Structures are given as C-alpha cells and as structure tokens.
Amino acid sequence: MALLKEWHKIAYNENTDQGEIQRFWTNYFLKEQSVYEKLLSNPDEVVEGTVKELAEKYDLSIMEMTGFLDGINDCLVAPNPIEEMEEDTKVSLAFDKEKLYKGMVAAKAEWLYELPMWDDIFDKETQKALYLEQKKSGTVVKEQKVGRNDPCPCGSGKKYKKCCGR
C-alpha cells in the first residue's frame, strides 16, 4: 500500500478516540516544527534522499515523514510523487520560500510561520505583506448586481434591460 494512503488511515481515522487523536497531532506538530526549524536555518540547501533516509535524518518515523511530505508538497519547487511514494522513493525538500510561508499562513499554523528563522529569510515588512496577500486570497469579493433599470455596464448609455440584459 502506498505510504500516503497508510498515513491518511492513521492521521484521519474517525474511529480513533478524540484524546488519542489530539495527542497524535500534538506530537506530530512538535516533530514537524523541529524539521522546519532545521530546514529554515539553511533555506538554500537542497535536501534530497529517499523517504526512509530523510525520516532517519530528521528523527521521524516513515509515517511521520510521509505526513510531512504531504504537508509541504504544494510549497516545493518540484512536487514529489506522494500518491505512489514508498520508503525507497527519492524525494526533494527544495521549497519555494514565499509559497511555504503562505502555505503556513493558509494552514493557520502560527507555530510555523512565526518561527524566528523566518526573520533571517524575510524582513518583517515582507512577512506582513505575504501574510496579508495569503489572507486576502481567500476573501471572495462579491460584485454589485446590475439592476434592470441601471445604465448598462458596457458603456452604451442604454438601460441594462434594453442592451446586454436581453
């Protein structure tokens, strides 16, 4: 079975006791933070290896590494083949800094986007701009509806009902 399916079975099992699943995620988030601290300390280093090698390097289980790869995949320069990934699959952790920061904001992971290592990568103004850009990207702006007796938005000067509203 592909590692990702196995990870999803463990991490998102609805039959698991709530206290147990909360302990699972708390433990996972601490380990995830540790990996990000190491990656962000040297953001230009391209980290590559098999899933098993990277799990050993960052002191994670294969399943925890799979979860980490699942979480970071959208922020990588070149996404990994996580759907069919096995222990011996070669993966890369080369991440796009802006995408990663925005991804952490989107996930509402303050413990990650507030890591002090970000201060060496982006100044405070850039961090704030990226934060706001990400937050605004999820905001839907509803345009005002054109009434039938309003002037047509095409600029013809006619009422909407006699022009584009037909």
Side-chain angles (χ1 to χ4, degrees):
M1 178 187 303
L3 291 175
L4 188 63
K5 283 185 181 177
E6 221 173 303
W7 165 254
H8 282 213
K9 255 203 251 183
I10 296 167
Y12 304 108
N13 187 346
E14 293 180 15
N15 300 326
T16 308
D17 172 60
Q18 283 302 105
E20 192 177 323
I21 201 78
Q22 193 167 3
R23 283 188 296 280
F24 169 83
W25 282 109
T26 301
N27 182 43
Y28 172 77
F29 289 145
L30 287 172
K31 291 181 177 187
E32 177 188 45
Q33 181 178 346
S34 171
V35 176
Y36 277 119
E37 286 171 349
K38 292 171 187 164
L39 285 175
L40 294 172
S41 293
N42 194 355
D44 296 319
E45 177 189 3
V46 178
V47 179
E48 294 178 325
T50 65
V51 175
K52 186 176 182 175
E53 290 168 350
L54 292 180
E56 289 169 2
K57 178 177 180 168
Y58 293 109
D59 197 28
L60 300 173
S61 70
I62 297 293
M63 282 298 105
E64 290 165 339
M65 190 69 216
T66 303
F68 182 82
L69 290 166
D70 184 25
I72 196 173
N73 206 45
D74 291 338
C75 304
L76 298 176
V77 175
N80 291 312
I82 60 169
E83 296 292 331
E84 58 271 350
M85 190 170 62
E86 296 295 341
E87 284 186 28
D88 59 347
T89 305
K90 279 276 232 186
V91 292
S92 170
L93 296 180
F95 57 91
D96 178 301
K97 296 173 192 117
E98 287 187 10
K99 273 188 190 176
L100 184 60
Y101 189 84
K102 288 179 184 179
M104 290 173 172
V105 171
K108 297 179 174 78
E110 320 66 60
W111 67 94
L112 296 178
Y113 67 77
E114 289 180 356
L115 285 171
M117 294 82 186
W118 282 113
D119 296 338
D120 296 332
I121 298 170
F122 298 125
D123 58 37
K124 286 293 182 190
E125 293 81 36
T126 305
Q127 288 179 45
K128 185 176 181 179
L130 291 171
Y131 179 88
L132 291 173
E133 189 179 324
Q134 177 56 42
K135 287 294 186 181
K136 286 179 182 174
S137 72
T139 305
V140 178
V141 178
K142 195 173 176 184
E143 290 187 28
Q144 190 172 0
K145 191 174 177 182
V146 179
R148 43 186 319 247
N149 288 316
D150 292 341
C152 190
C154 77
S156 67
K158 297 179 183 177
K159 287 186 178 183
Y160 180 68
K161 67 182 178 187
K162 296 278 187 182
C163 189
C164 295
R166 290 184 192 200

